[in-house]
Amino acid sequence: MNDIKDFFAASGCKMTKQRKAILEILMDSRTCLSAEEIFIKAKNINPNICLTTVYRTIELLASYRMLNKIDIGDNKYRYEINSNTHYHHIICMGCKKMFKVQGCPVPDFESSIRAQTKFKIIGHRLEVYGYCPECQGTV
Amino acid sequence: MNDIKDFFAASGCKMTKQRKAILEILMDSRTCLSAEEIFIKAKNINPNICLTTVYRTIELLASYRMLNKIDIGDNKYRYEINSNTHYHHIICMGCKKMFKVQGCPVPDFESSIRAQTKFKIIGHRLEVYGYCPECQGTV
DNA sequence: CTCTATCTGCAAATTGTTTGCATTTACATT
DNA sequence: AATGTAAATGCAAACAATTTGCAGATAGAG
Ligand SMILES: [Mn+2]
Ligand SMILES: [Mn+2]
Ligand SMILES: [Zn+2]
Ligand SMILES: [Zn+2]
């Protein structure tokens, strides 16, 4: 958190109560959260924060690559702190729960992509879909 | 196209002018298209088609796994015919152009996921980000 | 403590997508 | 070919997520 404070200062961004609240929420959460969910939690800390600020903060954090933006196909994004550890999610198509999975097969694939496209590769997004143990019987 | 017609008939769906137009557009396009883009093209074929029909047709096709829904992080989906060949996209963070890349590293990863989560794996979504040759200089 | 660029809240606008309903249409059946 | 009917369409309106404009508040440098 102090690192972030320093990083903000160095970038000419101010560390406001609102941003602190949002960061705290994101850092404490072990699931990823929608803007609305962040907003609701943030109101417990700072009752007159508004959704606009949440969106603006998300955008700011994402622009510094401090957040991951996750899409599960329901027209809204969810966000989580971009920890330095790299992982992906598996999403249950039954109950929509998400779980982290460790490891990533993409780096091994990158040289093939480079050969095919001459792109400079920066990152990737990978989500795996399926049915969780509880939902396997019921579908 | 006749296969699709038969498939629709067998499913109790009607093959309407609108659906035919949308399918034709999707099958002819080598890029993926947003609902709006499909709508605009469809109006050339059938001037009084409406966006609602485009959305309903997309949903129908997707429910039969005939379409892929692609998210590039800008709050709207794009769609493309789900050909039987499996591939992913690389997206330029500069000019937003997308290109197909062949091959997929995910299947090799699935046994690890199964071991970690006991999920029954159905599918996945993978997009790679970077800068295309033209945009590498300019950023 | 002062000053000012940055940030915030509020309200309103935008954008993408979905829904309700009256009318039309595809197509199976006569 | 005419008929009947479930399924599909167009339109308008509703929704939901996100964005924008602006006037007032605040962080933090000096
Ligand atoms: Mn990865
Ligand atoms: Mn794949
Ligand atoms: Zn589940
Ligand atoms: Zn480019």
Side-chain angles (χ1 to χ4, degrees):
Chain A
M1 187 71 167
N2 274 324
D3 300 349
I4 295 175
K5 228 165 164 169
D6 294 346
F7 182 78
F8 269 29
S11 313
C13 298
K14 295 179 178 173
M15 177 52 74
T16 64
K17 304 188 219 318
Q18 293 86 334
R19 288 176 179 176
K20 215 175 295 184
I22 292 168
L23 272 166
E24 192 179 308
I25 288 161
L26 253 1
M27 289 170 55
D28 286 357
S29 175
R30 56 172 178 56
T31 62
C32 42
L33 301 170
S34 66
E36 184 76 29
E37 289 168 331
I38 296 170
F39 172 56
I40 289 169
K41 284 174 188 285
K43 277 203 290 199
N44 295 331
I45 305 177
N46 181 341
N48 60 331
I49 196 172
C50 78
L51 233 198
T52 306
T53 298
V54 173
Y55 276 110
R56 286 195 273 230
T57 302
I58 285 169
E59 190 191 3
L60 179 74
L61 296 174
S63 77
Y64 291 125
R65 307 260 166 98
M66 301 175 71
L67 280 191
N68 294 132
K69 194 175 180 184
I70 293 153
D71 168 64
I72 69 171
D74 65 347
N75 302 333
K76 75 178 161 211
Y77 293 105
R78 288 168 181 74
Y79 305 87
E80 66 180 4
I81 286 284
N82 181 13
S83 63
N84 39 14
T85 65
H86 182 86
Y87 55 81
H88 295 281
H89 288 103
I90 182 156
I91 299 160
C92 178
M93 296 164 71
C95 64
K96 310 288 180 191
K97 285 207 196 82
M98 314 184 26
F99 300 88
K100 291 178 183 174
V101 292
Q102 282 175 0
C104 175
V106 179
D108 290 344
F109 184 47
E110 293 188 353
S111 59
S112 159
I113 298 174
R114 256 191 306 274
Q116 289 180 56
T117 65
K118 312 293 181 215
F119 262 61
K120 178 174 206 304
I121 297 168
I122 304 290
H124 59 267
R125 177 189 309 218
L126 169 62
E127 287 114 30
V128 182
Y129 294 88
Y131 290 100
C132 75
E134 287 79 41
C135 291
Q136 277 172 46
T138 67
V139 187
Chain B
M1 187 72 167
N2 273 322
D3 300 351
I4 296 174
K5 227 167 165 172
D6 293 347
F7 182 77
F8 269 29
S11 313
C13 298
K14 295 177 178 174
M15 177 52 76
T16 64
K17 305 188 218 315
Q18 291 86 335
R19 290 177 178 174
K20 215 175 295 184
I22 292 168
L23 272 166
E24 192 179 307
I25 288 162
L26 253 1
M27 289 169 55
D28 285 357
S29 175
R30 55 173 180 56
T31 63
C32 41
L33 301 170
S34 66
E36 185 74 28
E37 289 168 332
I38 296 169
F39 172 56
I40 290 169
K41 285 173 188 282
K43 277 203 289 198
N44 294 332
I45 304 178
N46 181 342
N48 59 331
I49 196 172
C50 78
L51 233 197
T52 307
T53 298
V54 172
Y55 276 109
R56 287 195 273 231
T57 301
I58 286 169
E59 191 192 2
L60 179 75
L61 296 175
S63 77
Y64 291 125
R65 305 263 164 94
M66 300 176 71
L67 281 190
N68 294 133
K69 195 176 179 182
I70 293 153
D71 168 64
I72 68 172
D74 66 347
N75 303 333
K76 74 177 160 212
Y77 294 104
R78 286 170 182 74
Y79 305 87
E80 68 180 1
I81 288 285
N82 180 14
S83 64
N84 39 15
T85 65
H86 182 86
Y87 55 81
H88 296 280
H89 288 103
I90 183 156
I91 300 159
C92 178
M93 296 163 72
C95 63
K96 310 288 180 192
K97 285 207 196 82
M98 313 182 30
F99 300 89
K100 291 178 184 176
V101 291
Q102 280 173 2
C104 174
V106 180
D108 291 344
F109 184 47
E110 293 189 353
S111 60
S112 159
I113 298 174
R114 257 193 305 275
Q116 290 180 55
T117 65
K118 312 294 182 214
F119 262 61
K120 178 175 204 306
I121 297 168
I122 303 290
H124 59 268
R125 178 188 311 216
L126 169 63
E127 285 114 32
V128 182
Y129 294 89
Y131 290 99
C132 75
E134 286 80 43
C135 291
Q136 277 171 46
T138 67
V139 187

